[in-house]
Amino acid sequence: MLDQRFDPAEAEPRLYEAWENKGCFKPSGDTSAQAYSIVIPPPNVTGVLHMGHALNNTLQDILIRFERMRGKNVLWQPGTDHAGIATQMVVERQLAQEGNMSRREMGREAFVNRVWAWKAESGGAIVNQLKRLGASCDWSRERFTMDEGLSKAVTKVFVDLYNKGLIYRDKRLVNWDPHFQTAISDLEVDQREVNGHYWHLRYPLADGVTYEHPVKDEDGNVTGTETRDYIVVATSRPETMLGDTGVAVHPDDQRYAGLVGKFVELPIVGRRVPIVADEYANPEKGSGAVKITPAHDFNDFEVGKRAGHTPLNILTAVAAIVDGDEADAAGIPAAYRGLDRFDARKKVVEDFEAAGLLQEIENLKIEQPFGDRSNVVIEPWMTDQWYVDAKTLAQPAIAAVRDGKTKFVPENWEKTYYNWMENIQPWCVSRQLWWGHRIPAWYSEEGEIFVAASAEEAQAMAGAGVDLKQEEDVLDTWFSSALWPFSTQGWPDQTDDLKTFFPTATLVTAFDIIFFWVARMMMMSLEFMGQVPFKDVYIHALVLDEKGQKMSKSKGNVMDPLELVDEYGADALRFTMGRMAGQGRNIRLSKQAVEGNRNFSTKLWNAARFAEMNECGAPGEIDFNEIQSPVNRWILGELTQCVADVGKGIEDYRFDDGAGAIYRFVWNTFCDWYLELIKPLLGGMDDAAKSETRMVCGYVLDETLKLLHPFMPFVTEELWDRRAPGRVADQGFLMGQQWPAFTGFHDDAAAEEVDWVIGLITELRSLRNDLGVPAGAKIPLALVKAGAEIEDRAMRHEDVLKRLARLEDIAFTDATPEGAVTAVFGETVAALQIADFVDIAEARKRLDKELGQIEKDITSTEKKLSNENFVARAPEEIVEENRQRLVDWAARREKLAAARKGLEGL
């Protein structure tokens, strides 16, 4: 006997353990079956489950469970990322809290051992959290980006790329984190709007040069000129002027045309630097002249390169002003050397002001780069780093997408991919950390570099007796992640798994790592495997709060997926994600939505209890052609359509369509209508009809469990077992059953008859509601000029019609009875005799009021949608939501107007 309700807290861990113990998540090993594989985007080993993970892994699991049930040889490859900077930070913080030695005091080997110990004890908590979500990965194959096999792959790729000239060492600008003293990727830079300043500085012109500068009035009109012996530049980082190599003006800016080729005398340092023409300078912004600091600004670096300037570095690794040779080269006074960058900023401003060269300080909001882990301001900094020649590797990866070998879903993300790949810069792959893959390069005392798979090979290359020292830097975390689709399957060894599961079928990921991960996997797979790593790339949207705002701790609107699982169960959260996962449309998540899908699970559970109480068992396969009752033939046709819709939704990555189809079938078609329509059959005296109905009801319920399983694995598995004790032992778990086949079955006559019954009941209910008929009142119904076929149909379903539409009786007349309001459904004219049950005047008043409100709403929304600014700027889903409201209101207006007209003359 089924319990009163499904208990997720009890059932979910029990079912997951049972699946795992039985090896349900492993590939079938059937070499005759089509292979289907997905690699999980490896979460950080330090990570905890957030809503992005919940969406991403739910969608992957839907695909995996679907294809597993379709008989494919399925692998969902799990694993975690070593997350260099994040993990090192966690362990360093732990050392500080314990009062132990710092990382540098411990030394590299001891610190790395300590990180491995932390990983063994505390790392990978997210794996168990993914299990709570129901993720059916083959955990026996779990990989780690620094395990022995993946480390072997990383080393081989680095050495091979170096030997091909595709990895090299160079001095270039990087995002530098002064706290961790390492280069970081663009993804690890958090651009924040902060209160800042633009300091407008006067740079004196050298050699006695002057020019006539336009003078403008308050309205911006030129009223004359003034003679200047200086040029004004504006900067938010005054301290960087110590490393200026020039001033740039636009070649078409007539104000400064005569100054190009002249020099300024750089204050404080006393260097002469040239004024150059470059299109980077914007005549409309500020003074139109910009200072050029190639060593400390990415744009300035390019301007300096075009002008042939030698960059001058003025900062140390901890963002203090340099000393020694670099300071001498830049002419930095002794008073500045060793100052923190922000102290140097204050001193530069003070010195400019003292010299009468500070024109103004402009207060404004500025975008400033912060390290997402360190929370300190990031500096563009010139250092020696290792780089991958990404431009060369990108060409085959661009061609593969253009040729359709890999497809993006939605397709519009291809533009983002092309834009980045066609403008790709060298990829900085070195990091000044200790936790990570140490770069396999060794240096002789003379500075010669030997790149090899091991210290022994490097020594052999250098020769006996040559002292070698290994590179201190480690590789960017994304370097190992770029190899993930093939390294996890055993490469560089040619394993059976590699032959079977590479290339993978689908990658499910977020848009923000198309550059950092997707593109790099494409490049590496094509370079080392000669194939694309995946056929499809599904880019899912963001999970926002119910108001459409990004979740953030500062806003206090973060929703914890595990808390929702605790409260409503994993199925409810998963189904919410599935129902909302429309292509290109962000998810607006609320607790109410999750609760609503928990209620859906309850509805299904109650339907199963109804089936159990009415002895609707688990018949297995049935012959559709043997079924006689129209209502049973109708539900089989509806089920067939649902099979097609759910399958197509998942296949096309339209998860919301697939989830929506099964939701409507379960809630509306099966529970609201079919179970009500069969009650007379189950309670009647016709044993054959009763037996058939029990069989069909049980069959449809079991097939429904299969269709719903990828979205809601736990409640469906529990019902599969509980509805037929012993079935799991005999036939296996639901997750291993065959996906329902599309039979194409549809009985037009049965569908027309049942749809007529449903449509008539729906119309009558709507009319009763619009007119304010008391819910408990049973109203006489007359079908006007119905004809023999409709009369027979109404009599066959008399019990259902009277019960569900709350009717006193059903009569057949040639004219509309007095005191009746009509509803037209198809060719059927139904007259409800309401005069004795409704205050007609009050009903007219209420309908007029609602019609008036709808007119206001329609007018207001039409005005909003006719505003081009609103349509252009509002999120697409908001615009679509307003358009749908218009459609709904128009339909409602039509129904209310018909009801209002029916009251005339009563």
Side-chain angles (χ1 to χ4, degrees):
M1 188 73 179
L2 284 173
D3 298 330
Q4 192 82 14
R5 64 180 184 85
F6 177 62
D7 182 2
E10 183 280 325
E12 289 177 356
R14 167 172 51 79
L15 290 168
Y16 196 93
E17 184 180 9
W19 289 329
E20 203 169 7
N21 289 343
K22 280 288 186 180
C24 294
F25 304 155
K26 295 177 183 291
S28 66
D30 182 358
T31 54
S32 65
Q34 181 183 344
Y36 181 91
S37 61
I38 291 178
V39 289
I40 197 171
N44 287 352
V45 70
T46 58
V48 293
L49 195 74
H50 57 59
M51 276 303 172
H53 293 132
L55 172 63
N56 181 276
N57 287 281
T58 292
L59 299 183
Q60 289 177 83
D61 199 41
I62 289 169
L63 292 169
I64 287 292
R65 289 178 183 271
F66 172 64
E67 298 295 2
R68 192 184 281 130
M69 293 178 77
R70 294 215 292 182
K72 294 181 182 177
N73 185 20
V74 170
L75 169 64
W76 187 7
Q77 175 65 56
T80 52
D81 190 285
H82 65 276
I85 197 166
T87 306
Q88 183 162 314
M89 183 179 76
V90 166
V91 176
E92 285 196 72
R93 187 185 296 146
Q94 190 179 72
L95 289 172
Q97 289 171 347
E98 294 172 359
N100 290 327
M101 292 184 291
S102 70
R103 167 171 67 98
R104 298 190 186 281
E105 289 171 331
M106 289 180 75
R108 183 171 194 140
E109 185 176 352
F111 178 76
V112 170
N113 288 337
R114 176 63 185 259
V115 180
W116 278 110
W118 173 88
K119 192 258 179 189
E121 182 181 337
S122 306
I126 196 168
V127 168
N128 289 324
Q129 294 167 349
L130 287 170
K131 291 181 178 182
R132 290 196 61 195
L133 195 64
S136 59
C137 303
D138 183 359
W139 298 108
S140 69
R141 296 169 179 256
E142 185 181 347
R143 302 303 300 266
F144 179 56
T145 49
M146 279 181 61
D147 67 29
E148 185 178 351
L150 268 64
S151 296
K152 178 181 175 183
V154 166
T155 299
K156 177 173 175 54
V157 166
F158 188 94
V159 173
D160 286 2
L161 289 177
Y162 179 82
N163 290 335
K164 292 176 182 178
L166 295 172
I167 281 185
Y168 56 93
R169 192 161 170 80
D170 194 11
K171 184 183 282 289
R172 293 175 60 90
L173 275 185
V174 297
N175 296 310
W176 185 261
D177 188 317
H179 175 77
F180 289 117
Q181 296 176 48
T182 180
I184 61 174
S185 70
D186 289 345
L187 191 64
E188 294 162 313
V189 177
D190 182 13
Q191 294 288 350
R192 302 177 192 169
E193 187 178 69
V194 298
N195 292 321
H197 312 280
Y198 269 150
W199 285 270
H200 295 253
L201 310 177
R202 294 179 177 181
Y203 283 7
L205 296 168
D207 306 320
V209 171
T210 61
Y211 75 107
E212 295 302 310
H213 191 83
V215 176
K216 296 179 180 180
D217 61 20
E218 292 180 355
D219 297 324
N221 301 311
V222 176
T223 58
T225 63
E226 66 178 11
T227 302
R228 287 186 176 179
D229 59 358
Y230 60 87
I231 192 167
V232 176
V233 298
T235 178
S236 61
R237 299 154 67 213
E239 69 281 5
T240 61
M241 60 78 52
L242 299 171
D244 281 1
T245 62
V247 172
V249 296
H250 195 278
D252 298 332
D253 193 337
Q254 292 305 308
R255 294 173 297 178
Y256 305 120
L259 296 182
V260 174
K262 301 293 193 290
F263 291 82
V264 300
E265 193 80 34
L266 197 59
I268 300 175
V269 297
R271 278 187 287 109
R272 284 166 57 89
V273 299
I275 299 172
V276 300
D278 194 284
E279 291 186 351
Y280 170 65
N282 183 354
E284 304 299 322
K285 189 174 180 181
S287 68
V290 292
K291 59 190 285 301
I292 303 302
T293 319
H296 297 285
D297 184 279
F298 290 101
N299 291 315
D300 290 5
F301 179 80
E302 298 301 326
V303 177
K305 193 181 349 179
R306 289 191 289 270
H309 294 185
T310 299
L312 294 171
N313 177 52
I314 64 154
L315 293 175
T316 67
V318 293
I321 304 300
V322 294
D323 199 352
D325 292 344
E326 288 181 312
D328 293 343
I332 299 173
Y336 281 88
R337 301 184 184 197
L339 288 181
D340 175 79
R341 55 181 164 168
F342 298 120
D343 292 333
R345 177 177 301 178
K346 290 177 186 175
K347 184 164 179 55
V348 165
V349 172
E350 288 170 0
D351 286 354
F352 264 80
E353 189 170 20
L357 298 175
L358 178 62
Q359 178 149 313
E360 68 169 304
I361 300 174
E362 183 182 358
N363 300 320
L364 73 172
K365 296 278 189 182
I366 61 170
E367 287 280 321
Q368 204 162 42
F370 287 81
D372 67 347
R373 305 279 179 186
S374 65
N375 282 313
V376 301
V377 176
I378 297 304
E379 289 289 346
W381 197 50
M382 288 201 73
T383 66
D384 289 309
Q385 303 282 349
W386 290 89
Y387 289 89
V388 170
D389 179 0
K391 189 176 182 67
T392 298
L393 291 175
Q395 302 317 305
I398 293 169
V401 175
R402 290 206 190 281
D403 296 343
K405 293 176 182 175
T406 292
K407 295 179 180 177
F408 280 81
V409 183
E411 190 177 355
N412 62 287
W413 288 111
E414 287 183 7
K415 294 177 184 175
T416 304
Y417 175 81
Y418 291 139
N419 182 57
W420 190 69
M421 294 292 266
E422 289 166 356
N423 297 283
I424 200 165
Q425 297 295 311
W427 173 17
C428 176
V429 293
S430 47
R431 297 291 182 267
Q432 291 63 54
L433 303 169
W434 286 356
W435 175 244
H437 296 99
R438 194 167 179 181
I439 291 175
W442 284 261
Y443 299 89
S444 69
E445 291 180 353
E446 289 73 30
E448 192 175 357
I449 302 174
F450 302 93
V451 172
S454 65
E456 292 75 20
E457 285 186 26
Q459 192 66 62
M461 292 166 67
V466 177
D467 288 333
L468 296 179
K469 182 180 180 183
Q470 188 176 356
E471 169 68 76
E472 293 284 334
D473 292 354
V474 300
L475 286 165
D476 175 14
T477 298
W478 295 104
F479 190 90
S480 49
S481 299
L483 319 181
W484 191 246
F486 55 94
S487 64
T488 52
Q489 304 312 310
W491 188 90
D493 298 333
Q494 297 303 306
T495 64
D496 289 338
D497 285 341
L498 188 63
K499 294 171 188 171
T500 303
F501 298 115
F502 184 89
T504 65
T506 304
L507 179 74
V508 180
T509 189
F511 71 88
D512 57 348
I513 53 173
I514 290 175
F515 322 129
F516 299 98
W517 193 42
V518 179
R520 288 164 178 171
M521 285 189 285
M522 290 286 289
M523 291 189 283
M524 292 299 193
S525 290
L526 285 162
E527 177 68 20
F528 288 94
M529 301 298 295
Q531 298 182 75
V532 295
F534 20 70
K535 298 178 182 69
D536 295 331
V537 180
Y538 177 74
I539 304 295
H540 62 71
L542 295 173
V543 183
L544 309 175
D545 72 6
E546 59 188 309
K547 296 177 183 175
Q549 296 184 331
K550 281 189 177 183
M551 295 187 189
S552 71
K553 290 179 181 177
S554 61
K555 291 179 184 174
N557 64 346
V558 173
M559 299 178 73
D560 183 340
L562 295 177
E563 289 181 3
L564 292 173
V565 169
D566 287 340
E567 190 168 358
Y568 301 111
D571 283 333
L573 178 59
R574 288 171 59 110
F575 199 46
T576 303
M577 295 294 191
R579 287 184 66 197
M580 292 183 163
Q583 289 185 13
R585 192 169 65 245
N586 290 333
I587 290 174
R588 292 182 169 202
L589 188 65
S590 67
K591 287 185 72 171
Q592 290 77 12
V594 182
E595 183 179 13
N597 288 308
R598 192 271 313 274
N599 296 342
F600 171 81
S601 172
T602 301
K603 183 111 173 172
L604 175 70
W605 188 265
N606 288 337
R609 294 185 73 227
F610 172 89
E612 182 181 61
M613 287 186 286
N614 286 278
E615 302 176 37
C616 304
E621 295 302 312
I622 66 173
D623 185 348
F624 287 14
N625 294 318
E626 294 294 320
I627 305 305
Q628 300 298 313
S629 167
V631 72
N632 288 328
R633 293 180 69 80
W634 165 77
I635 195 64
L636 292 173
E638 293 294 311
L639 173 66
T640 299
Q641 186 59 51
C642 186
V643 169
D645 292 343
V646 175
K648 181 169 175 51
I650 300 175
E651 283 179 344
D652 294 347
Y653 305 107
R654 296 191 175 276
F655 299 98
D656 56 333
D657 289 350
I662 189 64
Y663 178 92
R664 290 187 298 274
F665 179 78
V666 171
W667 192 289
N668 302 116
T669 307
F670 186 71
C671 293
D672 283 356
W673 290 112
Y674 178 68
L675 296 186
E676 291 296 336
L677 295 172
I678 64 174
K679 283 179 180 177
L681 295 174
L682 293 172
M685 303 301 291
D686 187 335
D687 289 342
K690 185 184 297 185
S691 176
E692 175 189 285
T693 301
R694 285 171 172 165
M695 177 177 68
V696 171
C697 180
Y699 171 80
V700 171
L701 184 52
D702 279 348
E703 295 300 286
T704 299
L705 296 180
K706 295 174 187 176
L707 294 174
L708 185 57
H709 180 77
F711 298 96
M712 303 183 86
F714 293 108
V715 68
T716 52
E717 188 71 80
E718 183 78 344
L719 285 173
W720 176 259
D721 179 32
R722 298 284 295 279
R723 273 186 28 77
R727 177 160 57 177
V728 169
D730 294 339
Q731 300 176 29
F733 289 110
L734 173 63
M735 70 176 294
Q737 301 305 305
Q738 187 175 349
W739 185 257
F742 177 71
T743 63
F745 178 83
H746 188 268
D747 185 325
D748 290 342
E752 183 185 353
E753 178 164 329
V754 176
D755 287 346
W756 178 86
V757 173
I758 292 172
L760 181 58
I761 292 169
T762 302
E763 282 295 322
L764 294 175
R765 284 174 168 175
S766 177
L767 189 58
R768 289 175 62 114
N769 181 65
D770 291 342
L771 298 174
V773 176
K778 292 187 176 182
I779 312 297
L781 171 70
L783 298 179
V784 183
K785 296 180 181 179
E789 184 180 353
I790 295 299
E791 288 183 10
D792 289 345
R793 187 180 288 172
M795 286 299 94
R796 276 198 302 276
H797 299 283
E798 181 182 20
D799 180 78
V800 168
L801 289 169
K802 289 169 72 173
R803 179 164 48 87
L804 298 184
R806 305 293 293 166
L807 302 176
E808 178 66 30
D809 54 46
I810 303 174
F812 305 99
T813 64
D814 292 329
T816 302
E818 281 191 24
V821 175
T822 59
V824 180
F825 171 65
E827 296 180 0
T828 302
V829 178
L832 269 183
Q833 299 169 55
I834 62 156
D836 295 336
F837 300 89
V838 173
D839 182 330
I840 301 298
E842 188 61 35
R844 289 193 191 109
K845 185 178 175 182
R846 189 175 61 255
L847 288 172
D848 288 342
K849 183 179 180 182
E850 189 173 348
L851 279 166
Q853 183 59 51
I854 286 178
E855 288 294 347
K856 284 183 183 177
D857 292 338
I858 288 175
T859 301
S860 170
T861 304
E862 284 177 339
K863 184 177 179 182
K864 189 186 295 183
L865 289 173
S866 67
N867 183 332
E868 292 181 5
N869 282 335
F870 171 77
V871 175
R873 294 177 181 176
E876 186 180 337
E877 59 265 29
I878 298 296
V879 175
E880 187 55 41
E881 190 178 289
N882 277 275
R883 286 178 178 146
Q884 186 58 48
R885 281 177 183 166
L886 279 182
V887 173
D888 295 342
W889 281 329
R892 179 69 177 150
R893 178 175 61 184
E894 186 178 348
K895 288 181 71 69
L896 291 175
R900 178 66 179 84
K901 186 177 181 182
L903 291 177
E904 292 176 7
L906 294 186

mmCIF file of all heavy atoms in Angstrom, residues 390-391 394-395 398-399 402 414-425:
data_model
loop_
_atom_site.group_PDB
_atom_site.id
_atom_site.type_symbol
_atom_site.label_atom_id
_atom_site.label_comp_id
_atom_site.label_asym_id
_atom_site.label_seq_id
_atom_site.Cartn_x
_atom_site.Cartn_y
_atom_site.Cartn_z
ATOM 1 N N ALA A 390 47.922 30.822 -29.459
ATOM 2 C CA ALA A 390 46.499 30.505 -29.614
ATOM 3 C C ALA A 390 45.993 30.824 -31.018
ATOM 4 O O ALA A 390 45.082 30.165 -31.517
ATOM 5 C CB ALA A 390 45.688 31.258 -28.564
ATOM 6 N N LYS A 391 46.575 31.821 -31.662
ATOM 7 C CA LYS A 391 46.108 32.208 -33.000
ATOM 8 C C LYS A 391 46.259 31.053 -33.988
ATOM 9 O O LYS A 391 45.346 30.784 -34.791
ATOM 10 C CB LYS A 391 46.889 33.434 -33.490
ATOM 11 C CG LYS A 391 46.328 34.044 -34.771
ATOM 12 C CD LYS A 391 47.081 35.308 -35.136
ATOM 13 C CE LYS A 391 46.503 35.961 -36.386
ATOM 14 N NZ LYS A 391 45.168 36.499 -36.196
ATOM 15 N N ALA A 394 43.817 28.294 -33.120
ATOM 16 C CA ALA A 394 42.409 28.672 -33.274
ATOM 17 C C ALA A 394 41.877 28.418 -34.676
ATOM 18 O O ALA A 394 40.668 28.210 -34.849
ATOM 19 C CB ALA A 394 42.228 30.148 -32.917
ATOM 20 N N GLN A 395 42.742 28.417 -35.677
ATOM 21 C CA GLN A 395 42.248 28.339 -37.055
ATOM 22 C C GLN A 395 41.448 27.061 -37.337
ATOM 23 O O GLN A 395 40.336 27.133 -37.877
ATOM 24 C CB GLN A 395 43.411 28.498 -38.052
ATOM 25 C CG GLN A 395 44.190 29.813 -37.896
ATOM 26 C CD GLN A 395 43.303 31.033 -37.696
ATOM 27 O OE1 GLN A 395 42.418 31.312 -38.503
ATOM 28 N NE2 GLN A 395 43.529 31.759 -36.597
ATOM 29 N N ILE A 398 38.075 27.293 -35.523
ATOM 30 C CA ILE A 398 37.101 28.162 -36.184
ATOM 31 C C ILE A 398 36.455 27.422 -37.349
ATOM 32 O O ILE A 398 35.229 27.416 -37.516
ATOM 33 C CB ILE A 398 37.786 29.454 -36.686
ATOM 34 C CG1 ILE A 398 38.257 30.311 -35.503
ATOM 35 C CG2 ILE A 398 36.840 30.255 -37.579
ATOM 36 C CD1 ILE A 398 39.159 31.466 -35.908
ATOM 37 N N ALA A 399 37.292 26.760 -38.145
ATOM 38 C CA ALA A 399 36.795 26.039 -39.321
ATOM 39 C C ALA A 399 35.833 24.921 -38.933
ATOM 40 O O ALA A 399 34.847 24.671 -39.626
ATOM 41 C CB ALA A 399 37.975 25.473 -40.113
ATOM 42 N N ARG A 402 32.472 26.423 -38.367
ATOM 43 C CA ARG A 402 31.914 26.896 -39.645
ATOM 44 C C ARG A 402 31.443 25.722 -40.506
ATOM 45 O O ARG A 402 30.443 25.823 -41.219
ATOM 46 C CB ARG A 402 32.968 27.697 -40.422
ATOM 47 C CG ARG A 402 33.282 29.036 -39.786
ATOM 48 C CD ARG A 402 33.784 30.031 -40.824
ATOM 49 N NE ARG A 402 34.311 31.230 -40.182
ATOM 50 C CZ ARG A 402 33.580 32.213 -39.703
ATOM 51 N NH1 ARG A 402 32.265 32.135 -39.766
ATOM 52 N NH2 ARG A 402 34.144 33.273 -39.137
ATOM 53 N N GLU A 414 27.441 31.131 -31.549
ATOM 54 C CA GLU A 414 28.546 30.970 -32.499
ATOM 55 C C GLU A 414 29.212 32.319 -32.763
ATOM 56 O O GLU A 414 30.429 32.396 -32.929
ATOM 57 C CB GLU A 414 28.043 30.377 -33.816
ATOM 58 C CG GLU A 414 27.694 28.898 -33.719
ATOM 59 C CD GLU A 414 27.266 28.323 -35.055
ATOM 60 O OE1 GLU A 414 27.370 29.034 -36.078
ATOM 61 O OE2 GLU A 414 26.824 27.155 -35.069
ATOM 62 N N LYS A 415 28.429 33.395 -32.798
ATOM 63 C CA LYS A 415 28.991 34.724 -33.044
ATOM 64 C C LYS A 415 29.985 35.096 -31.948
ATOM 65 O O LYS A 415 31.044 35.658 -32.215
ATOM 66 C CB LYS A 415 27.875 35.765 -33.113
ATOM 67 C CG LYS A 415 26.935 35.593 -34.293
ATOM 68 C CD LYS A 415 25.814 36.628 -34.243
ATOM 69 C CE LYS A 415 24.804 36.402 -35.363
ATOM 70 N NZ LYS A 415 23.649 37.329 -35.254
ATOM 71 N N THR A 416 29.616 34.793 -30.697
ATOM 72 C CA THR A 416 30.513 35.069 -29.568
ATOM 73 C C THR A 416 31.810 34.280 -29.726
ATOM 74 O O THR A 416 32.913 34.800 -29.512
ATOM 75 C CB THR A 416 29.820 34.689 -28.251
ATOM 76 O OG1 THR A 416 28.580 35.386 -28.152
ATOM 77 C CG2 THR A 416 30.694 35.025 -27.046
ATOM 78 N N TYR A 417 31.668 33.027 -30.108
ATOM 79 C CA TYR A 417 32.821 32.137 -30.308
ATOM 80 C C TYR A 417 33.732 32.689 -31.406
ATOM 81 O O TYR A 417 34.944 32.837 -31.210
ATOM 82 C CB TYR A 417 32.293 30.749 -30.672
ATOM 83 C CG TYR A 417 33.340 29.715 -31.038
ATOM 84 C CD1 TYR A 417 34.048 29.027 -30.051
ATOM 85 C CD2 TYR A 417 33.582 29.396 -32.367
ATOM 86 C CE1 TYR A 417 34.977 28.056 -30.381
ATOM 87 C CE2 TYR A 417 34.513 28.424 -32.712
ATOM 88 C CZ TYR A 417 35.210 27.759 -31.720
ATOM 89 O OH TYR A 417 36.123 26.797 -32.052
ATOM 90 N N TYR A 418 33.137 33.019 -32.562
ATOM 91 C CA TYR A 418 33.933 33.542 -33.670
ATOM 92 C C TYR A 418 34.616 34.853 -33.299
ATOM 93 O O TYR A 418 35.788 35.076 -33.629
ATOM 94 C CB TYR A 418 33.056 33.784 -34.899
ATOM 95 C CG TYR A 418 32.527 32.531 -35.560
ATOM 96 C CD1 TYR A 418 31.216 32.476 -36.033
ATOM 97 C CD2 TYR A 418 33.330 31.407 -35.724
ATOM 98 C CE1 TYR A 418 30.719 31.335 -36.642
ATOM 99 C CE2 TYR A 418 32.838 30.254 -36.329
ATOM 100 C CZ TYR A 418 31.526 30.233 -36.790
ATOM 101 O OH TYR A 418 31.043 29.106 -37.389
ATOM 102 N N ASN A 419 33.894 35.730 -32.624
ATOM 103 C CA ASN A 419 34.433 37.046 -32.280
ATOM 104 C C ASN A 419 35.700 36.904 -31.446
ATOM 105 O O ASN A 419 36.692 37.612 -31.661
ATOM 106 C CB ASN A 419 33.379 37.863 -31.522
ATOM 107 C CG ASN A 419 33.875 39.265 -31.193
ATOM 108 O OD1 ASN A 419 34.250 40.018 -32.087
ATOM 109 N ND2 ASN A 419 33.902 39.600 -29.921
ATOM 110 N N TRP A 420 35.668 35.996 -30.509
ATOM 111 C CA TRP A 420 36.841 35.826 -29.654
ATOM 112 C C TRP A 420 37.962 35.104 -30.396
ATOM 113 O O TRP A 420 39.124 35.504 -30.322
ATOM 114 C CB TRP A 420 36.456 35.053 -28.396
ATOM 115 C CG TRP A 420 37.560 35.052 -27.380
ATOM 116 C CD1 TRP A 420 38.012 36.110 -26.652
ATOM 117 C CD2 TRP A 420 38.379 33.939 -26.996
ATOM 118 N NE1 TRP A 420 39.040 35.721 -25.821
ATOM 119 C CE2 TRP A 420 39.282 34.395 -26.022
ATOM 120 C CE3 TRP A 420 38.412 32.603 -27.371
ATOM 121 C CZ2 TRP A 420 40.214 33.557 -25.421
ATOM 122 C CZ3 TRP A 420 39.351 31.761 -26.775
ATOM 123 C CH2 TRP A 420 40.235 32.245 -25.816
ATOM 124 N N MET A 421 37.610 34.044 -31.125
ATOM 125 C CA MET A 421 38.637 33.244 -31.800
ATOM 126 C C MET A 421 39.335 34.033 -32.909
ATOM 127 O O MET A 421 40.536 33.852 -33.141
ATOM 128 C CB MET A 421 37.998 31.982 -32.374
ATOM 129 C CG MET A 421 37.482 31.015 -31.326
ATOM 130 S SD MET A 421 38.817 30.250 -30.377
ATOM 131 C CE MET A 421 39.050 28.752 -31.315
ATOM 132 N N GLU A 422 38.589 34.896 -33.586
ATOM 133 C CA GLU A 422 39.186 35.646 -34.690
ATOM 134 C C GLU A 422 40.026 36.824 -34.203
ATOM 135 O O GLU A 422 40.784 37.405 -34.987
ATOM 136 C CB GLU A 422 38.082 36.116 -35.644
ATOM 137 C CG GLU A 422 37.480 34.963 -36.439
ATOM 138 C CD GLU A 422 36.177 35.320 -37.130
ATOM 139 O OE1 GLU A 422 35.698 36.473 -36.930
ATOM 140 O OE2 GLU A 422 35.632 34.460 -37.847
ATOM 141 N N ASN A 423 39.873 37.182 -32.941
ATOM 142 C CA ASN A 423 40.669 38.273 -32.359
ATOM 143 C C ASN A 423 41.513 37.757 -31.188
ATOM 144 O O ASN A 423 41.852 38.517 -30.281
ATOM 145 C CB ASN A 423 39.739 39.386 -31.880
ATOM 146 C CG ASN A 423 38.956 40.019 -33.015
ATOM 147 O OD1 ASN A 423 39.489 40.814 -33.763
ATOM 148 N ND2 ASN A 423 37.690 39.643 -33.151
ATOM 149 N N ILE A 424 41.854 36.489 -31.243
ATOM 150 C CA ILE A 424 42.490 35.835 -30.094
ATOM 151 C C ILE A 424 43.907 36.361 -29.870
ATOM 152 O O ILE A 424 44.621 36.707 -30.817
ATOM 153 C CB ILE A 424 42.482 34.302 -30.307
ATOM 154 C CG1 ILE A 424 42.665 33.590 -28.982
ATOM 155 C CG2 ILE A 424 43.497 33.882 -31.348
ATOM 156 C CD1 ILE A 424 42.305 32.103 -29.046
ATOM 157 N N GLN A 425 44.278 36.454 -28.609
ATOM 158 C CA GLN A 425 45.609 36.888 -28.202
ATOM 159 C C GLN A 425 46.407 35.692 -27.695
ATOM 160 O O GLN A 425 45.845 34.645 -27.384
ATOM 161 C CB GLN A 425 45.487 37.935 -27.083
ATOM 162 C CG GLN A 425 44.773 39.212 -27.498
ATOM 163 C CD GLN A 425 45.537 39.987 -28.561
ATOM 164 O OE1 GLN A 425 46.732 40.230 -28.439
ATOM 165 N NE2 GLN A 425 44.837 40.362 -29.633
#
